[in-house]
Amino acid sequence: QVQLLESGGGLAQPGGSLRLSCTASGGSLSTYSVGWLRQAPGKDREFVAAISEHRDGTYYSDSVKGRFTIFRDNAKNTVYLEMNSLKPEDTAVYYCARGHSVYASSSPKDYDYWGQGAQVTVSS
């Protein structure tokens, strides 16, 4: 059974940075797409970023493009989300998820395995 574990969440000031990590056990991340999605209180889960298996193509929501970077370290079976220039509206629980296939997707239904979530709070 694949298990994903997020780490690196916490409190950041507006304009600050955080790096989230997603490490897998019981299965590989390197041969699948991996996504980060987030859910703020009272809102639906929304797509943030994804990385495909094919040439590590990356995809971002418009709200984070230019501020967030997704990348992977296959040797560590880990995918990261580097978050810069954080805004209060980035506050949410962030989930990493492994996709059905090698192709990245923005739809939550295209992900099989999910982590437990990491809280990110952006506040002064």
Side-chain angles (χ1 to χ4, degrees):
Q1 180 75 5
V2 177
Q3 293 186 320
L4 305 182
L5 180 64
E6 300 100 337
S7 61
L11 176 65
Q13 291 188 338
S17 299
L18 287 172
R19 177 183 288 187
L20 299 179
S21 301
C22 173
T23 301
S25 60
S28 172
L29 292 181
S30 64
T31 54
Y32 292 87
S33 63
V34 178
W36 287 94
L37 298 93
R38 67 187 182 188
Q39 189 164 20
K43 294 188 177 182
D44 293 333
R45 194 167 296 188
E46 66 170 354
F47 171 74
V48 175
I51 184 166
S52 69
E53 184 275 344
H54 181 63
R55 297 183 181 178
D56 282 353
T58 56
Y59 307 89
Y60 300 93
S61 68
D62 288 342
S63 62
V64 308
K65 196 173 296 181
R67 300 187 297 121
F68 290 12
T69 303
I70 186 171
F71 60 101
R72 60 165 99 224
D73 183 336
N74 289 337
K76 295 182 178 180
N77 208 22
T78 298
V79 172
Y80 301 92
L81 183 69
E82 183 76 28
M83 303 184 293
N84 297 317
S85 301
L86 284 163
K87 304 176 181 179
E89 51 263 44
D90 294 319
T91 296
V93 177
Y94 283 70
Y95 298 90
C96 70
R98 195 184 82 170
H100 294 321
S101 73
V102 301
Y103 302 106
S105 171
S106 62
S107 173
K109 66 179 176 63
D110 288 330
Y111 293 91
D112 283 329
Y113 297 98
W114 294 78
Q116 84 289 349
Q119 177 69 48
V120 171
T121 302
V122 184
S123 174
S124 56

